[in-house]
Amino acid sequence: MKKFFFVLALIGSSFSSYANETFFRLGAYIDTYYTNDDDKNLYDVFGEHPKRKLSSINNLKDRFALNIAYLSLKVNNNDFRSTLGLQAGDIPDNIYFEEPKIIQQANIGVRLFGPLWLDGGYFTTPIGVETTHPRNNYLSTHSMVTYYQPTYHSGLKLSYQFNDNICAEAYLVNGNHLFKDNNEQKSFMWSLNYVTKKGDFTFSYNGIAGNEEKAEDKPKLHALHNFYVIAKVYKDLELKAQFDFATKEDAVEKKENKVETAYYFGSFFQAKYNVMDKLNLSARVSNFDDGDNLYLTNISGID
């Protein structure tokens, strides 16, 4: 069995203009790859190629494929802002299990006063250091920890910029990794970020809590806490570290027929070294502990 893939990222140019103090920006991004997978067990009798588990890259034999094509439009002035992001490719097909997969984000916001903004619509998640755009990550594949984090949300966001270094956000959303609501209750999400003026160190604490059960099921509190750090050690070396902690009440059976809270822990460490301007080396080690079966994996180990 042999497996390999080649990833090529093309970042389109963007343009900006000012009209009546309103700022417009149009951006484009394309990421494509070639893959060859000789594992015959991956193909069905019709020759179709199933999705690769825990990955946005499909099992394909001698095929070129589109990882993601992304088009964005941003409008901003002193009192109004809006973002629209459209996407297509394997990443939205494999990661987004809700329609509309073509929309990555679509939101509109108004300034309430000073640095306080209110936005509503579809948002990309603030949780986690890895994103759905490979250009923002060290590696072309996601960690298993990232795979079980939310990717998108639908709701309202309050954001406040305390100073050049600290920003806080509070969300009221339909649920974890949901566009549509699956019950009559909302989830609360938060994000606190600190970035040095030089941009060489970032600390972020993010989380979400609420009842994520279906409307016909008994309500249970789900909570996810996410911490990550990005540090530029020196000119050519950058590090990322992340730790996740999640709970779900009344989700695991213990001794004497007691039902207790289920726990999940996930973490990873990444490093990127720039050998030269156009070449870098990256590595990642991660730990995924779902021994209480919170995410229905019953997996504990290192990937």
Side-chain angles (χ1 to χ4, degrees), residues 174-236:
N174 283 336
N176 185 326
H177 200 62
L178 291 175
F179 282 141
K180 302 175 184 178
D181 202 349
N182 66 337
N183 55 44
E184 296 179 353
Q185 301 180 35
K186 300 293 181 274
S187 294
F188 176 70
M189 188 166 62
W190 60 90
S191 178
L192 179 64
N193 297 279
Y194 171 80
V195 183
T196 58
K197 290 183 178 180
K198 293 182 179 180
D200 55 358
F201 179 83
T202 299
F203 170 80
S204 185
Y205 166 49
N206 314 281
I208 184 171
N211 173 32
E212 302 293 342
E213 301 297 310
K214 295 180 181 180
E216 61 270 19
D217 295 337
K218 177 184 176 182
K220 296 179 181 180
L221 177 63
H222 297 234
L224 169 64
H225 301 269
N226 163 253
F227 304 84
Y228 69 78
V229 172
I230 306 174
K232 192 171 184 178
V233 179
Y234 63 94
K235 181 180 178 181
D236 297 317

Short mmCIF file of all heavy atoms in Angstrom, two decimals, residues 174-236:
data_model
loop_
_atom_site.label_atom_id
_atom_site.label_comp_id
_atom_site.label_asym_id
_atom_site.label_seq_id
_atom_site.Cartn_x
_atom_site.Cartn_y
_atom_site.Cartn_z
N ASN A 174 -26.79 29.00 18.21
CA ASN A 174 -27.73 27.88 18.18
C ASN A 174 -27.15 26.63 18.83
O ASN A 174 -27.89 25.83 19.42
CB ASN A 174 -28.15 27.57 16.75
CG ASN A 174 -29.17 28.57 16.22
OD1 ASN A 174 -29.88 29.19 16.98
ND2 ASN A 174 -29.22 28.71 14.91
N GLY A 175 -25.83 26.45 18.70
CA GLY A 175 -25.21 25.28 19.29
C GLY A 175 -23.80 25.07 18.79
O GLY A 175 -23.28 25.84 17.96
N ASN A 176 -23.18 24.03 19.29
CA ASN A 176 -21.82 23.66 18.94
C ASN A 176 -21.80 23.04 17.53
O ASN A 176 -22.39 22.00 17.30
CB ASN A 176 -21.29 22.66 19.98
CG ASN A 176 -19.84 22.30 19.77
OD1 ASN A 176 -19.34 22.23 18.65
ND2 ASN A 176 -19.16 22.05 20.87
N HIS A 177 -21.11 23.70 16.60
CA HIS A 177 -20.99 23.20 15.23
C HIS A 177 -22.36 23.05 14.57
O HIS A 177 -22.69 22.04 13.96
CB HIS A 177 -20.25 21.85 15.25
CG HIS A 177 -19.66 21.46 13.92
ND1 HIS A 177 -18.70 22.19 13.28
CD2 HIS A 177 -19.91 20.39 13.12
CE1 HIS A 177 -18.37 21.59 12.14
NE2 HIS A 177 -19.10 20.51 12.02
N LEU A 178 -23.17 24.11 14.72
CA LEU A 178 -24.53 24.07 14.18
C LEU A 178 -24.86 25.38 13.47
O LEU A 178 -24.48 26.46 13.93
CB LEU A 178 -25.56 23.87 15.30
CG LEU A 178 -25.60 22.52 16.00
CD1 LEU A 178 -26.61 22.58 17.14
CD2 LEU A 178 -25.96 21.41 15.03
N PHE A 179 -25.56 25.28 12.34
CA PHE A 179 -26.21 26.43 11.73
C PHE A 179 -27.64 26.50 12.26
O PHE A 179 -28.07 27.49 12.82
CB PHE A 179 -26.22 26.32 10.20
CG PHE A 179 -24.91 26.67 9.57
CD1 PHE A 179 -24.45 25.94 8.48
CD2 PHE A 179 -24.13 27.71 10.03
CE1 PHE A 179 -23.24 26.26 7.87
CE2 PHE A 179 -22.93 28.04 9.43
CZ PHE A 179 -22.49 27.31 8.35
N LYS A 180 -28.37 25.40 12.09
CA LYS A 180 -29.75 25.33 12.56
C LYS A 180 -29.79 24.88 14.01
O LYS A 180 -28.90 24.17 14.48
CB LYS A 180 -30.55 24.35 11.68
CG LYS A 180 -30.56 24.71 10.20
CD LYS A 180 -31.26 23.64 9.39
CE LYS A 180 -31.19 23.94 7.90
NZ LYS A 180 -31.85 22.87 7.09
N ASP A 181 -30.84 25.29 14.72
CA ASP A 181 -30.99 24.92 16.12
C ASP A 181 -31.54 23.50 16.23
O ASP A 181 -32.45 23.12 15.50
CB ASP A 181 -31.95 25.91 16.81
CG ASP A 181 -31.74 25.93 18.31
OD1 ASP A 181 -31.02 25.05 18.82
OD2 ASP A 181 -32.29 26.82 18.97
N ASN A 182 -30.99 22.70 17.16
CA ASN A 182 -31.48 21.33 17.36
C ASN A 182 -32.36 21.20 18.59
O ASN A 182 -32.83 20.11 18.91
CB ASN A 182 -30.29 20.37 17.45
CG ASN A 182 -29.45 20.60 18.68
OD1 ASN A 182 -29.47 21.69 19.25
ND2 ASN A 182 -28.71 19.59 19.10
N ASN A 183 -32.55 22.31 19.33
CA ASN A 183 -33.47 22.31 20.47
C ASN A 183 -33.91 23.75 20.71
O ASN A 183 -33.62 24.64 19.93
CB ASN A 183 -32.81 21.70 21.72
CG ASN A 183 -31.50 22.37 22.08
OD1 ASN A 183 -31.39 23.60 22.05
ND2 ASN A 183 -30.49 21.58 22.39
N GLU A 184 -34.63 23.99 21.78
CA GLU A 184 -35.16 25.33 22.05
C GLU A 184 -34.22 26.15 22.93
O GLU A 184 -34.58 27.25 23.36
CB GLU A 184 -36.53 25.22 22.71
CG GLU A 184 -37.59 24.57 21.82
CD GLU A 184 -38.93 24.46 22.50
OE1 GLU A 184 -39.00 24.77 23.71
OE2 GLU A 184 -39.90 24.07 21.82
N GLN A 185 -33.03 25.66 23.20
CA GLN A 185 -32.09 26.36 24.05
C GLN A 185 -30.87 26.81 23.25
O GLN A 185 -30.52 26.18 22.26
CB GLN A 185 -31.65 25.46 25.21
CG GLN A 185 -32.80 24.99 26.08
CD GLN A 185 -32.33 24.11 27.22
OE1 GLN A 185 -31.27 24.31 27.77
NE2 GLN A 185 -33.15 23.11 27.57
N LYS A 186 -30.26 27.88 23.69
CA LYS A 186 -29.07 28.42 23.04
C LYS A 186 -27.82 28.09 23.84
O LYS A 186 -27.90 27.77 25.04
CB LYS A 186 -29.20 29.94 22.87
CG LYS A 186 -30.40 30.35 22.02
CD LYS A 186 -30.21 29.90 20.58
CE LYS A 186 -31.39 30.31 19.72
NZ LYS A 186 -32.49 29.33 19.76
N SER A 187 -26.69 28.16 23.18
CA SER A 187 -25.41 27.94 23.85
C SER A 187 -24.65 29.26 23.95
O SER A 187 -24.81 30.14 23.10
CB SER A 187 -24.57 26.91 23.07
OG SER A 187 -25.18 25.64 23.10
N PHE A 188 -23.85 29.37 24.99
CA PHE A 188 -23.04 30.57 25.21
C PHE A 188 -21.59 30.26 24.86
O PHE A 188 -21.07 29.22 25.26
CB PHE A 188 -23.15 31.03 26.66
CG PHE A 188 -22.28 32.20 27.00
CD1 PHE A 188 -22.56 33.46 26.48
CD2 PHE A 188 -21.17 32.05 27.82
CE1 PHE A 188 -21.75 34.56 26.78
CE2 PHE A 188 -20.36 33.13 28.13
CZ PHE A 188 -20.65 34.39 27.60
N MET A 189 -20.97 31.16 24.13
CA MET A 189 -19.58 30.96 23.71
C MET A 189 -18.78 32.22 24.03
O MET A 189 -19.32 33.33 24.02
CB MET A 189 -19.53 30.65 22.22
CG MET A 189 -18.16 30.23 21.70
SD MET A 189 -18.27 29.49 20.05
CE MET A 189 -18.93 30.87 19.11
N TRP A 190 -17.49 32.04 24.30
CA TRP A 190 -16.66 33.18 24.66
C TRP A 190 -15.26 33.03 24.07
O TRP A 190 -14.82 31.94 23.70
CB TRP A 190 -16.58 33.30 26.19
CG TRP A 190 -15.97 32.10 26.85
CD1 TRP A 190 -14.67 31.87 27.13
CD2 TRP A 190 -16.69 30.93 27.30
NE1 TRP A 190 -14.51 30.64 27.74
CE2 TRP A 190 -15.73 30.05 27.85
CE3 TRP A 190 -18.04 30.57 27.29
CZ2 TRP A 190 -16.08 28.82 28.39
CZ3 TRP A 190 -18.39 29.34 27.82
CH2 TRP A 190 -17.43 28.48 28.37
N SER A 191 -14.56 34.17 23.97
CA SER A 191 -13.21 34.19 23.45
C SER A 191 -12.45 35.36 24.06
O SER A 191 -12.95 36.49 24.05
CB SER A 191 -13.22 34.30 21.92
OG SER A 191 -11.90 34.35 21.40
N LEU A 192 -11.27 35.09 24.59
CA LEU A 192 -10.41 36.12 25.15
C LEU A 192 -9.02 35.97 24.54
O LEU A 192 -8.42 34.89 24.62
CB LEU A 192 -10.34 36.00 26.67
CG LEU A 192 -9.44 37.00 27.41
CD1 LEU A 192 -9.98 38.42 27.22
CD2 LEU A 192 -9.35 36.67 28.90
N ASN A 193 -8.53 37.04 23.92
CA ASN A 193 -7.27 36.96 23.19
C ASN A 193 -6.29 38.05 23.63
O ASN A 193 -6.69 39.21 23.84
CB ASN A 193 -7.52 37.11 21.68
CG ASN A 193 -8.37 36.00 21.12
OD1 ASN A 193 -7.89 34.92 20.84
ND2 ASN A 193 -9.66 36.27 20.98
N TYR A 194 -5.05 37.64 23.75
CA TYR A 194 -3.96 38.58 24.05
C TYR A 194 -2.87 38.40 23.00
O TYR A 194 -2.40 37.28 22.75
CB TYR A 194 -3.38 38.32 25.44
CG TYR A 194 -2.12 39.13 25.71
CD1 TYR A 194 -2.19 40.47 26.08
CD2 TYR A 194 -0.86 38.54 25.55
CE1 TYR A 194 -1.03 41.21 26.30
CE2 TYR A 194 0.30 39.27 25.77
CZ TYR A 194 0.21 40.60 26.14
OH TYR A 194 1.35 41.33 26.35
N VAL A 195 -2.48 39.49 22.37
CA VAL A 195 -1.43 39.48 21.35
C VAL A 195 -0.45 40.60 21.66
O VAL A 195 -0.86 41.75 21.91
CB VAL A 195 -2.00 39.67 19.93
CG1 VAL A 195 -0.88 39.59 18.90
CG2 VAL A 195 -3.08 38.65 19.64
N THR A 196 0.85 40.32 21.66
CA THR A 196 1.84 41.36 21.90
C THR A 196 1.87 42.33 20.74
O THR A 196 1.43 42.02 19.63
CB THR A 196 3.24 40.74 22.09
OG1 THR A 196 3.58 39.98 20.91
CG2 THR A 196 3.26 39.82 23.30
N LYS A 197 2.39 43.52 20.98
CA LYS A 197 2.43 44.54 19.93
C LYS A 197 3.26 44.08 18.73
O LYS A 197 2.96 44.41 17.59
CB LYS A 197 3.00 45.84 20.51
CG LYS A 197 2.07 46.52 21.50
CD LYS A 197 2.64 47.84 21.99
CE LYS A 197 1.68 48.53 22.95
NZ LYS A 197 2.21 49.83 23.45
N LYS A 198 4.30 43.32 18.98
CA LYS A 198 5.14 42.81 17.89
C LYS A 198 4.49 41.63 17.17
O LYS A 198 4.94 41.24 16.10
CB LYS A 198 6.51 42.39 18.43
CG LYS A 198 7.36 43.55 18.95
CD LYS A 198 8.71 43.04 19.41
CE LYS A 198 9.59 44.18 19.90
NZ LYS A 198 10.92 43.69 20.36
N GLY A 199 3.43 41.05 17.78
CA GLY A 199 2.77 39.90 17.17
C GLY A 199 3.54 38.61 17.29
O GLY A 199 3.24 37.62 16.62
N ASP A 200 4.54 38.57 18.19
CA ASP A 200 5.37 37.37 18.32
C ASP A 200 4.87 36.42 19.41
O ASP A 200 5.46 35.35 19.61
CB ASP A 200 6.82 37.75 18.59
CG ASP A 200 6.97 38.66 19.81
OD1 ASP A 200 5.95 39.03 20.42
OD2 ASP A 200 8.12 39.03 20.13
N PHE A 201 3.79 36.78 20.11
CA PHE A 201 3.22 35.89 21.12
C PHE A 201 1.71 36.11 21.19
O PHE A 201 1.23 37.25 21.26
CB PHE A 201 3.83 36.15 22.50
CG PHE A 201 3.26 35.27 23.58
CD1 PHE A 201 3.74 33.98 23.77
CD2 PHE A 201 2.24 35.73 24.41
CE1 PHE A 201 3.21 33.17 24.77
CE2 PHE A 201 1.70 34.93 25.40
CZ PHE A 201 2.19 33.63 25.57
N THR A 202 0.96 35.01 21.15
CA THR A 202 -0.50 35.06 21.24
C THR A 202 -0.98 34.05 22.26
O THR A 202 -0.52 32.89 22.28
CB THR A 202 -1.14 34.73 19.88
OG1 THR A 202 -0.73 35.69 18.90
CG2 THR A 202 -2.66 34.74 19.98
N PHE A 203 -1.89 34.48 23.12
CA PHE A 203 -2.56 33.56 24.05
C PHE A 203 -4.06 33.72 23.84
O PHE A 203 -4.57 34.84 23.76
CB PHE A 203 -2.21 33.86 25.51
CG PHE A 203 -3.06 33.09 26.48
CD1 PHE A 203 -2.78 31.75 26.75
CD2 PHE A 203 -4.16 33.67 27.09
CE1 PHE A 203 -3.57 31.03 27.64
CE2 PHE A 203 -4.96 32.95 27.98
CZ PHE A 203 -4.66 31.62 28.24
N SER A 204 -4.78 32.60 23.78
CA SER A 204 -6.21 32.64 23.55
C SER A 204 -6.91 31.61 24.44
O SER A 204 -6.45 30.47 24.55
CB SER A 204 -6.53 32.35 22.08
OG SER A 204 -7.91 32.49 21.82
N TYR A 205 -8.00 32.05 25.07
CA TYR A 205 -8.87 31.15 25.85
C TYR A 205 -10.27 31.26 25.27
O TYR A 205 -10.86 32.33 25.20
CB TYR A 205 -8.87 31.52 27.32
CG TYR A 205 -9.97 30.86 28.12
CD1 TYR A 205 -10.20 29.48 28.02
CD2 TYR A 205 -10.79 31.60 28.97
CE1 TYR A 205 -11.22 28.87 28.74
CE2 TYR A 205 -11.81 30.99 29.70
CZ TYR A 205 -12.01 29.63 29.57
OH TYR A 205 -13.03 29.03 30.28
N ASN A 206 -10.81 30.12 24.82
CA ASN A 206 -12.11 30.08 24.16
C ASN A 206 -12.94 28.94 24.74
O ASN A 206 -12.39 27.96 25.25
CB ASN A 206 -11.95 29.87 22.65
CG ASN A 206 -10.88 30.75 22.06
OD1 ASN A 206 -11.11 31.92 21.81
ND2 ASN A 206 -9.68 30.20 21.84
N GLY A 207 -14.25 29.06 24.63
CA GLY A 207 -15.09 27.98 25.12
C GLY A 207 -16.53 28.12 24.69
O GLY A 207 -16.96 29.15 24.16
N ILE A 208 -17.27 27.04 24.92
CA ILE A 208 -18.70 27.03 24.63
C ILE A 208 -19.39 26.13 25.64
O ILE A 208 -18.84 25.09 26.04
CB ILE A 208 -18.98 26.54 23.18
CG1 ILE A 208 -20.48 26.62 22.86
CG2 ILE A 208 -18.43 25.15 22.94
CD1 ILE A 208 -20.79 26.37 21.39
N ALA A 209 -20.59 26.53 26.09
CA ALA A 209 -21.33 25.75 27.07
C ALA A 209 -22.82 25.86 26.78
O ALA A 209 -23.32 26.92 26.39
CB ALA A 209 -21.04 26.24 28.49
N GLY A 210 -23.53 24.74 26.94
CA GLY A 210 -24.97 24.74 26.72
C GLY A 210 -25.49 23.33 26.53
O GLY A 210 -24.73 22.35 26.54
N ASN A 211 -26.79 23.22 26.38
CA ASN A 211 -27.43 21.94 26.12
C ASN A 211 -27.36 21.64 24.63
O ASN A 211 -27.96 22.32 23.82
CB ASN A 211 -28.89 21.98 26.58
CG ASN A 211 -29.65 20.73 26.17
OD1 ASN A 211 -29.10 19.64 26.09
ND2 ASN A 211 -30.94 20.90 25.88
N GLU A 212 -26.63 20.60 24.27
CA GLU A 212 -26.46 20.24 22.87
C GLU A 212 -27.28 19.02 22.48
O GLU A 212 -27.13 18.49 21.37
CB GLU A 212 -24.98 19.98 22.56
CG GLU A 212 -24.04 21.14 22.87
CD GLU A 212 -24.27 22.34 21.97
OE1 GLU A 212 -24.89 22.17 20.89
OE2 GLU A 212 -23.85 23.45 22.35
N GLU A 213 -28.15 18.54 23.38
CA GLU A 213 -28.97 17.37 23.09
C GLU A 213 -30.12 17.74 22.16
O GLU A 213 -30.54 18.90 22.08
CB GLU A 213 -29.52 16.78 24.38
CG GLU A 213 -28.45 16.36 25.38
CD GLU A 213 -27.56 15.25 24.83
OE1 GLU A 213 -28.11 14.24 24.34
OE2 GLU A 213 -26.33 15.41 24.90
N LYS A 214 -30.66 16.75 21.45
CA LYS A 214 -31.81 16.99 20.59
C LYS A 214 -33.02 17.35 21.44
O LYS A 214 -33.09 17.02 22.63
CB LYS A 214 -32.10 15.74 19.75
CG LYS A 214 -31.00 15.40 18.76
CD LYS A 214 -31.35 14.17 17.96
CE LYS A 214 -30.24 13.81 16.98
NZ LYS A 214 -30.56 12.60 16.19
N ALA A 215 -34.01 18.01 20.82
CA ALA A 215 -35.18 18.52 21.55
C ALA A 215 -35.93 17.41 22.28
O ALA A 215 -36.47 17.62 23.36
CB ALA A 215 -36.10 19.26 20.59
N GLU A 216 -35.96 16.20 21.69
CA GLU A 216 -36.72 15.10 22.29
C GLU A 216 -35.94 14.37 23.38
O GLU A 216 -36.49 13.51 24.07
CB GLU A 216 -37.14 14.10 21.22
CG GLU A 216 -36.00 13.44 20.47
CD GLU A 216 -35.55 14.19 19.24
OE1 GLU A 216 -35.86 15.41 19.14
OE2 GLU A 216 -34.88 13.58 18.39
N ASP A 217 -34.65 14.70 23.56
CA ASP A 217 -33.83 14.03 24.57
C ASP A 217 -33.73 14.85 25.85
O ASP A 217 -34.01 16.06 25.85
CB ASP A 217 -32.43 13.77 24.01
CG ASP A 217 -32.43 12.81 22.84
OD1 ASP A 217 -33.40 12.02 22.74
OD2 ASP A 217 -31.49 12.85 22.02
N LYS A 218 -33.32 14.19 26.91
CA LYS A 218 -33.13 14.87 28.19
C LYS A 218 -32.01 15.90 28.08
O LYS A 218 -30.92 15.60 27.56
CB LYS A 218 -32.78 13.85 29.27
CG LYS A 218 -32.51 14.47 30.64
CD LYS A 218 -32.08 13.41 31.64
CE LYS A 218 -31.71 14.06 32.98
NZ LYS A 218 -31.25 13.05 33.96
N PRO A 219 -32.22 17.15 28.54
CA PRO A 219 -31.17 18.18 28.47
C PRO A 219 -29.93 17.76 29.27
O PRO A 219 -30.04 17.23 30.38
CB PRO A 219 -31.84 19.42 29.07
CG PRO A 219 -33.31 19.17 28.94
CD PRO A 219 -33.49 17.69 29.08
N LYS A 220 -28.77 18.04 28.69
CA LYS A 220 -27.50 17.77 29.37
C LYS A 220 -26.54 18.91 29.05
O LYS A 220 -26.48 19.36 27.91
CB LYS A 220 -26.89 16.43 28.92
CG LYS A 220 -27.70 15.21 29.27
CD LYS A 220 -27.04 13.94 28.77
CE LYS A 220 -27.87 12.70 29.11
NZ LYS A 220 -27.22 11.46 28.61
N LEU A 221 -25.81 19.33 30.06
CA LEU A 221 -24.87 20.44 29.87
C LEU A 221 -23.59 19.93 29.23
O LEU A 221 -22.92 19.05 29.76
CB LEU A 221 -24.55 21.11 31.20
CG LEU A 221 -23.53 22.24 31.14
CD1 LEU A 221 -24.05 23.40 30.28
CD2 LEU A 221 -23.17 22.73 32.54
N HIS A 222 -23.25 20.50 28.06
CA HIS A 222 -21.98 20.24 27.39
C HIS A 222 -21.10 21.48 27.58
O HIS A 222 -21.58 22.61 27.48
CB HIS A 222 -22.18 20.03 25.90
CG HIS A 222 -22.99 18.83 25.55
ND1 HIS A 222 -22.54 17.84 24.68
CD2 HIS A 222 -24.23 18.44 25.93
CE1 HIS A 222 -23.47 16.93 24.54
NE2 HIS A 222 -24.51 17.27 25.29
N ALA A 223 -19.82 21.28 27.83
CA ALA A 223 -18.91 22.41 27.96
C ALA A 223 -17.56 22.05 27.34
O ALA A 223 -17.09 20.92 27.48
CB ALA A 223 -18.72 22.80 29.42
N LEU A 224 -16.98 23.00 26.62
CA LEU A 224 -15.66 22.81 26.00
C LEU A 224 -14.81 24.04 26.31
O LEU A 224 -15.23 25.17 26.08
CB LEU A 224 -15.79 22.64 24.49
CG LEU A 224 -14.49 22.69 23.67
CD1 LEU A 224 -13.56 21.54 24.06
CD2 LEU A 224 -14.79 22.66 22.18
N HIS A 225 -13.61 23.80 26.86
CA HIS A 225 -12.65 24.87 27.14
C HIS A 225 -11.42 24.65 26.26
O HIS A 225 -10.89 23.53 26.20
CB HIS A 225 -12.25 24.86 28.62
CG HIS A 225 -13.39 25.04 29.55
ND1 HIS A 225 -13.80 26.27 30.01
CD2 HIS A 225 -14.24 24.13 30.12
CE1 HIS A 225 -14.84 26.13 30.81
NE2 HIS A 225 -15.13 24.84 30.90
N ASN A 226 -10.98 25.70 25.61
CA ASN A 226 -9.88 25.62 24.67
C ASN A 226 -8.84 26.70 24.98
O ASN A 226 -9.18 27.88 25.12
CB ASN A 226 -10.41 25.79 23.24
CG ASN A 226 -9.31 26.13 22.23
OD1 ASN A 226 -9.23 27.26 21.76
ND2 ASN A 226 -8.49 25.17 21.91
N PHE A 227 -7.59 26.29 25.11
CA PHE A 227 -6.48 27.22 25.35
C PHE A 227 -5.43 26.97 24.26
O PHE A 227 -5.11 25.82 23.95
CB PHE A 227 -5.82 26.98 26.71
CG PHE A 227 -6.76 27.04 27.88
CD1 PHE A 227 -7.51 25.93 28.26
CD2 PHE A 227 -6.89 28.21 28.62
CE1 PHE A 227 -8.36 25.99 29.35
CE2 PHE A 227 -7.75 28.27 29.71
CZ PHE A 227 -8.48 27.16 30.07
N TYR A 228 -4.89 28.05 23.71
CA TYR A 228 -3.75 27.85 22.81
C TYR A 228 -2.78 29.03 22.88
O TYR A 228 -3.14 30.15 23.26
CB TYR A 228 -4.20 27.59 21.37
CG TYR A 228 -4.83 28.75 20.62
CD1 TYR A 228 -4.06 29.77 20.07
CD2 TYR A 228 -6.21 28.78 20.42
CE1 TYR A 228 -4.65 30.80 19.36
CE2 TYR A 228 -6.80 29.81 19.70
CZ TYR A 228 -6.02 30.82 19.17
OH TYR A 228 -6.60 31.84 18.48
N VAL A 229 -1.54 28.73 22.51
CA VAL A 229 -0.45 29.70 22.52
C VAL A 229 0.28 29.61 21.19
O VAL A 229 0.53 28.50 20.68
CB VAL A 229 0.53 29.44 23.68
CG1 VAL A 229 1.76 30.32 23.56
CG2 VAL A 229 -0.15 29.69 25.02
N ILE A 230 0.62 30.75 20.63
CA ILE A 230 1.48 30.83 19.45
C ILE A 230 2.68 31.69 19.81
O ILE A 230 2.51 32.82 20.29
CB ILE A 230 0.75 31.44 18.24
CG1 ILE A 230 -0.54 30.70 17.93
CG2 ILE A 230 1.66 31.42 17.01
CD1 ILE A 230 -1.37 31.35 16.83
N ALA A 231 3.87 31.17 19.63
CA ALA A 231 5.07 31.91 20.02
C ALA A 231 6.12 31.84 18.92
O ALA A 231 6.44 30.75 18.42
CB ALA A 231 5.63 31.35 21.32
N LYS A 232 6.63 32.99 18.55
CA LYS A 232 7.76 33.05 17.62
C LYS A 232 9.02 33.12 18.45
O LYS A 232 9.35 34.16 19.03
CB LYS A 232 7.63 34.26 16.70
CG LYS A 232 8.60 34.24 15.53
CD LYS A 232 8.30 35.34 14.53
CE LYS A 232 9.21 35.24 13.31
NZ LYS A 232 8.90 36.28 12.29
N VAL A 233 9.72 31.98 18.54
CA VAL A 233 10.87 31.88 19.43
C VAL A 233 12.00 32.78 18.95
O VAL A 233 12.59 33.54 19.71
CB VAL A 233 11.34 30.42 19.54
CG1 VAL A 233 12.54 30.32 20.46
CG2 VAL A 233 10.20 29.55 20.06
N TYR A 234 12.32 32.68 17.69
CA TYR A 234 13.23 33.61 17.05
C TYR A 234 12.89 33.66 15.58
O TYR A 234 11.84 33.16 15.17
CB TYR A 234 14.71 33.27 17.31
CG TYR A 234 15.18 31.94 16.76
CD1 TYR A 234 15.78 31.85 15.51
CD2 TYR A 234 15.05 30.78 17.53
CE1 TYR A 234 16.21 30.64 15.02
CE2 TYR A 234 15.50 29.57 17.04
CZ TYR A 234 16.08 29.51 15.79
OH TYR A 234 16.52 28.30 15.30
N LYS A 235 13.69 34.30 14.79
CA LYS A 235 13.32 34.63 13.41
C LYS A 235 12.75 33.48 12.62
O LYS A 235 11.75 33.64 11.91
CB LYS A 235 14.56 35.20 12.69
CG LYS A 235 14.28 35.60 11.25
CD LYS A 235 15.53 36.15 10.60
CE LYS A 235 15.26 36.52 9.14
NZ LYS A 235 16.47 37.03 8.46
N ASP A 236 13.32 32.29 12.73
CA ASP A 236 12.93 31.17 11.86
C ASP A 236 12.17 30.06 12.56
O ASP A 236 11.84 29.05 11.92
CB ASP A 236 14.18 30.58 11.19
CG ASP A 236 14.87 31.58 10.28
OD1 ASP A 236 14.16 32.27 9.54
OD2 ASP A 236 16.12 31.68 10.32
#
